[in-house]
Amino acid sequence: MRLGFDVGGTKTDAVVVGAGDEIVARVRRPTGWGAPEVVRTITELVDELAASLGIQRSQFTSIGIGMPGQVAPGSATVAHAVNLGVDELDLGEAIGMALGVPVRAENDVKAAAVGAYALHGMGRARADTMAYLNLGTGIAAGFVKGGRLWRGARGTAGEVGHISVDPNGPLCRCGQRGCIEAFCGGGAIAERWNRAVALPVLDVFDAADAGDPAAIALRDGLAYGVASAIRVIVLSGDVETVVLGGGVTALGDRMLSRVVDELAAGAAASPFLKSLRLAERVELLPPGSPAAALGAALIGAAAEAPVAPEPRSSDRQRSDRKAVFHG
Ligand SMILES: [Zn+2]
């Protein structure tokens, strides 16, 4: 049985995944701040899950941990997890060695991409290519082909948040103007809305419905940013499906309908964009989806086995997950 964790700034989501990739147990709890507390959160969840299943923690075969931050492919070290108060953390040493279970770490958006792909395929024909677009404080995407993450040469594949789509647009924290993230990142919207509310994006949508011109501009900008991200992703990766997830998608159809309208406006103006059928390729991850924790568990499974030779390309589709998710 494999363990998967999605360690977020506020909550940690933990799942146990069985042999058929099904989730057999799930627990969530608040995440502690700073490396020692993050480690304690994970360790206590391991014990809680073991107890709930009536097993010893040594019976877990692998641990995969998704975290916001930089993770070198195939490693268990997370760097610059700023919103967790973690500068650098070797989870293999802190968790794996303490529990005697092999550990892999992964960037949380990339883990969610793998999990969304696994969930997406359940109950119907599995699309071969998919992108997961995370609409959270920041904006980033992960590409998956045949269940395998595609990182690019240096790991920046899918960093669509900092593609500028308007040279006269709002200033982005990266220094450019009109970045996708400056339009639709939850952090950028909260900053520009500048009101002390718990859920700034929801507040913007409510105020826009009430006719507030500044809120309408922010809401329309959000739709423009998300639609631009979808265009960029499909035009560069030609993925069959773009799955949207992350905190901003809690608005559900209120948000998605605006994005679909924006895509429709683009299609009405351009026969080329119309031919891409972008609106039909977009799906929303259900609220509270375990995608990131599930994906982390699937990636973590690669830590179970010693390094295996790459499968031949003809074997890749039916090779086991140890090989499929390796690296
Ligand atoms: Zn930027």
Side-chain angles (χ1 to χ4, degrees), residues 306-318:
V307 176
E310 280 286 298
R312 291 189 306 276
S313 59
S314 58
D315 292 335
R316 209 161 265 169
Q317 290 298 323
R318 54 193 163 82

Side-chain angles (χ1 to χ4, degrees), residues 161-162 172 174 176 179:
H162 297 291
C172 181
C174 77
Q176 303 183 94
C179 284

Side-chain angles (χ1 to χ4, degrees), residues 38 60 77 99 162 171 268 296 318:
V38 166
F60 292 120
T77 301
L99 302 184
H162 297 291
L171 191 63
R318 54 193 163 82

Side-chain angles (χ1 to χ4, degrees), residues 22-34:
E22 77 287 9
I23 292 171
V24 297
R26 185 182 188 192
V27 184
R28 276 168 284 190
R29 66 157 64 182
T31 308
W33 172 260

Side-chain angles (χ1 to χ4, degrees), residues 53-290:
L53 294 168
I55 62 172
Q56 300 295 312
R57 60 191 191 184
S58 59
Q59 285 175 260
F60 292 120
T61 49
S62 63
I63 301 177
I65 302 171
M67 263 195 206
Q70 292 171 7
V71 181
S75 86
T77 301
V78 180
H80 310 303
V82 184
N83 63 355
L84 298 173
V86 172
D87 188 33
E88 188 170 296
L89 175 57
D90 183 346
L91 291 159
E93 196 176 285
I95 308 274
M97 281 165 75
L99 302 184
V101 180
V103 174
R104 271 285 166 88
E106 186 50 271
N107 167 267
D108 60 340
V109 173
K110 290 186 168 74
V114 171
Y117 182 92
L119 292 169
H120 184 78
M122 282 175 184
R124 60 190 163 120
R126 178 177 287 204
D128 183 50
T129 53
M130 193 209 81
Y132 169 74
L133 175 59
N134 192 65
L135 307 173
T137 307
I139 305 291
F143 289 96
V144 182
K145 178 172 169 28
R148 194 182 165 101
L149 204 55
W150 187 68
R151 300 164 186 283
R154 300 188 183 189
T156 47
E159 291 290 346
V160 296
H162 297 291
I163 292 174
S164 174
V165 289
D166 180 359
N168 302 310
L171 191 63
C172 181
R173 66 185 166 90
C174 77
Q176 303 183 94
R177 275 201 178 274
C179 284
I180 284 172
E181 185 169 306
F183 279 108
C184 61
I189 290 173
E191 211 167 275
R192 285 161 66 203
W193 185 233
N194 199 21
R195 292 193 189 175
V197 289
L199 300 167
V201 181
L202 176 64
D203 197 47
V204 164
F205 270 67
D206 287 345
D209 285 350
D212 182 308
I216 290 170
L218 284 173
R219 183 191 63 189
D220 292 352
L222 182 146
Y224 174 72
V226 177
S228 299
I230 293 164
R231 271 194 286 270
V232 163
I233 286 168
V234 173
L235 283 170
S236 55
D238 192 24
V239 290
E240 184 58 38
T241 308
V242 180
V243 177
L244 308 181
V248 173
T249 59
L251 285 162
D253 197 52
R254 267 181 99 183
M255 187 271 308
L256 186 62
S257 63
R258 299 274 164 190
V259 173
V260 168
D261 286 351
E262 184 70 34
L263 292 171
S270 159
F272 170 65
L273 285 179
K274 190 179 179 191
S275 75
L276 299 176
R277 299 179 173 274
L278 293 171
E280 295 169 24
R281 293 158 86 153
V282 178
E283 286 181 23
L284 215 52
L285 208 59
S289 166

